[in-house]
Amino acid sequence: MPFTPPYDLPRLPLPTGITSSQLTSTEAGLSYHILSAGHSGHFSPPLILLLHGFPEIAYSWRKVMLPMAKAGYRVVAFDQRGYGRTTGWDDSEYSKVDLRTFSMTTLVRDVVILVHALGYKTVKCIVGHDFGAVAASLCALTRPDFFENVVLMSHPFKGSPSLPSNIAHSAPPPRANDREEEPDIHASLATLPEPRKHYKWYYSTPPAASEMLHPTSALQSFLRGYFHLKSGDWPGNDPHPLKEWSASELAKMPNYYIMPLHASMRDTVAKDMESAETVRLDNTHHWLPDNDLAVYAQEYKRTGFQGGLNWYRVQTDPANTKDMLMFAGAKITIPCLFISGTKDWGIYQEPGVVEKMKDVCTKFKGVRMIEGAGHWVQQERPESVVDEILRFLSFTAREERKKRSREQERREEKGEMVILEESVEIQDGRILFWDALERVG
């Protein structure tokens, strides 16, 4: 479809210092809507790229962009394929969407193309939240030469796909990462005393987008409930690890993850909001006031939810994820940090995955839990998120300098070109680095 930038849309209520613009790319077939902070003149600070989740947009990062920019970075968030003011993606009705355009490798390609269009050859850190963490983890997995660091939030990386091995003379064993694809779990959930269903598979059904959107007159109320129930302000969130991928264990999660079998997401949210405490709901208004919530409502009222839900359709159907099999067995080899809220059930959706990250990320730097935060951690506790990201980048920078120092010593012994010294200059309040080279021997 044509990727004409959207015009005549209301201006976003952004903090001073964050700009909104369109960037059109024929290579991606998209007109990207981007938010940017920390870029001035000809100087290009290291790039931090932010990937939002569902049902969010680039606007979800508004609270963390300026503090990171002030620390010396260019910070960019964008509406991803299927969302917000980015255009050019397949917005056909459910039965006619070409899901190949929402493949995992396509999402990575979108990011790489955007980074080049911004004038960069590498990304200092890619940060993803919720489904954006899925895209960020795949960026880190597939292009470790391009992305230097990765921060995943609320959705842990469970590892790359596995393939049957040594099957020439025997039947292949089940693939390790396929338990979400087992049809039995859905039948088991449906036969519980209180029948349930998994939200990811509900999001992949034809009526989901329409049921979430209509009636549009109550869209903001629905989104208020959705954001509230998954936040640290809802007392129903008491997350803990699950023992196994079984119906009885999954049913311990809240209804917004394991839904009543015959309910829509709107029905589910409305039912749980009936008992929501007014005081707790008021707390949600502190970090998501009505004027901010109205931005989400106006954007989704205009675009609908199907674009974002197409990502779920791809992930829940193994036939649509075969593009990732070329990376079977691969691990994330760049420094990786995981951040979540102590009230976020998201990290326990699939039992054992967060504990497994140390095995599937060779430079895993640990888990940082933000006290009192729920699923929307960068909106609920932006200061804590910024602190953790900047501390992580400072740590990895020190590690890299130590590595370079050891490499210099090794090269000195061989008489190779080495870095003689690292010089620092302050220009326009920003730190500039450059290296002086000398041949030894």
Side-chain angles (χ1 to χ4, degrees):
M1 64 164 291
F3 46 94
T4 304
Y7 295 106
D8 300 324
L9 295 178
R11 297 183 65 177
L12 297 175
L14 295 168
T16 301
I18 299 178
T19 61
S20 169
S21 61
Q22 295 290 141
L23 193 161
T24 298
S25 167
T26 55
E27 290 77 15
L30 298 174
S31 175
Y32 297 90
H33 173 240
I34 66 172
L35 303 182
S36 183
H39 182 242
S40 60
H42 298 292
F43 175 64
S44 295
L47 178 63
I48 295 178
L49 193 63
L50 308 174
L51 308 185
H52 65 80
F54 179 88
E56 296 179 285
I57 47 179
Y59 186 72
S60 305
W61 297 104
R62 65 199 177 280
K63 296 183 181 182
V64 303
M65 294 182 68
L66 289 175
M68 289 194 290
K70 290 177 181 177
Y73 296 96
R74 183 180 184 187
V75 186
V76 172
F78 72 103
D79 292 340
Q80 296 196 77
R81 179 180 293 263
Y83 292 90
R85 301 185 179 194
T86 288
T87 62
W89 46 272
D90 187 350
D91 61 355
S92 306
E93 61 185 68
Y94 181 94
S95 63
K96 297 180 180 179
V97 172
D98 182 358
L99 290 179
R100 292 173 298 180
T101 64
F102 288 89
S103 70
M104 294 295 101
T105 48
T106 297
L107 302 181
V108 174
R109 186 186 69 194
D110 287 346
V111 175
V112 173
I113 292 173
L114 173 61
V115 171
H116 279 85
L118 291 170
Y120 286 83
K121 302 300 182 183
T122 60
V123 177
K124 177 59 66 175
C125 186
I126 185 166
V127 183
H129 173 251
D130 186 77
F131 219 128
V134 176
S137 66
L138 297 182
C139 286
L141 179 75
T142 60
R143 290 298 307 271
D145 61 313
F146 194 74
F147 302 96
E148 298 180 22
N149 301 277
V150 60
V151 176
L152 307 178
M153 296 166 52
S154 301
H155 195 299
F157 175 60
K158 68 177 183 179
S160 62
S162 60
L163 286 170
S165 177
N166 193 25
I167 62 173
H169 305 290
S170 61
R175 298 210 326 246
N177 288 340
D178 283 356
R179 56 184 174 186
E180 283 192 4
E181 299 164 4
E182 296 174 3
D184 291 346
I185 193 67
H186 308 298
S188 298
L189 285 169
T191 57
L192 289 172
E194 295 183 9
R196 309 279 285 278
K197 62 187 176 188
H198 199 288
Y199 83 104
K200 288 184 179 179
W201 278 265
Y202 165 73
Y203 280 169
S204 302
T205 62
S210 179
E211 289 176 351
M212 293 177 72
L213 182 63
H214 297 105
T216 55
S217 59
L219 179 57
Q220 185 157 333
S221 176
F222 161 64
L223 289 173
R224 169 64 68 193
Y226 193 87
F227 280 110
H228 173 70
L229 293 173
K230 297 184 74 173
S231 76
D233 294 309
W234 187 52
N237 287 324
D238 185 22
H240 55 81
L242 303 178
K243 296 178 182 178
E244 60 185 6
W245 181 260
S246 66
S248 59
E249 283 295 294
L250 295 182
K252 295 176 182 179
M253 288 195 285
N255 289 330
Y256 55 75
Y257 277 140
I258 307 299
M259 302 165 59
L261 180 61
H262 300 295
S264 68
M265 184 57 80
R266 274 226 186 182
D267 295 335
T268 300
V269 168
K271 181 68 174 177
D272 284 341
M273 284 297 289
E274 289 178 359
S275 58
E277 298 179 20
T278 302
V279 173
R280 297 278 189 163
L281 186 58
D282 286 343
N283 287 343
T284 305
H285 283 262
H286 293 322
W287 58 265
L288 187 63
D290 284 336
N291 62 318
D292 284 350
L293 182 63
V295 173
Y296 294 95
Q298 77 181 14
E299 293 299 291
Y300 280 101
K301 183 177 181 180
R302 183 174 55 81
T303 66
F305 290 96
Q306 192 59 65
L309 296 185
N310 286 335
W311 293 37
Y312 290 92
R313 294 175 65 189
V314 167
Q315 274 228 319
T316 56
D317 184 351
N320 293 323
T321 58
K322 289 183 178 180
D323 57 321
M324 289 304 299
L325 293 179
M326 71 181 83
F327 303 104
K331 297 183 178 183
I332 290 179
T333 57
I334 63 174
C336 174
L337 179 71
F338 183 74
I339 299 174
S340 189
T342 58
K343 296 295 185 179
D344 185 5
W345 267 103
I347 64 175
Y348 302 121
Q349 283 190 63
E350 190 172 347
V353 169
V354 70
E355 295 86 353
K356 183 183 174 183
M357 285 188 69
K358 66 182 185 301
D359 300 320
V360 297
C361 304
T362 63
K363 296 180 181 178
F364 188 52
K365 304 305 178 185
V367 176
R368 299 292 184 268
M369 301 298 291
I370 308 300
E371 184 62 37
H375 187 66
W376 322 106
V377 59
Q378 81 275 30
Q379 298 191 75
E380 296 178 58
R381 299 290 191 277
E383 297 87 356
S384 297
V385 168
V386 169
D387 287 346
E388 294 294 352
I389 293 175
L390 294 181
R391 186 178 297 115
F392 166 65
L393 292 179
S394 177
F395 175 78
T396 60
R398 289 196 303 271
E399 279 196 327
E400 181 61 25
R401 286 195 293 271
K402 291 178 181 177
K403 178 182 176 182
R404 290 171 62 187
S405 178
R406 291 193 297 267
E407 182 66 13
Q408 289 174 33
E409 293 175 0
R410 184 189 68 79
R411 289 185 174 184
E412 286 176 357
E413 294 175 358
K414 295 184 176 182
E416 298 177 356
M417 186 78 79
V418 300
I419 295 176
L420 178 64
E421 63 177 350
E422 185 174 69
S423 300
V424 181
E425 177 182 332
I426 305 298
Q427 179 177 309
D428 296 329
R430 301 182 184 278
I431 300 176
L432 305 181
F433 294 89
W434 71 90
D435 298 323
L437 301 180
E438 178 180 271
R439 184 174 298 279
V440 176

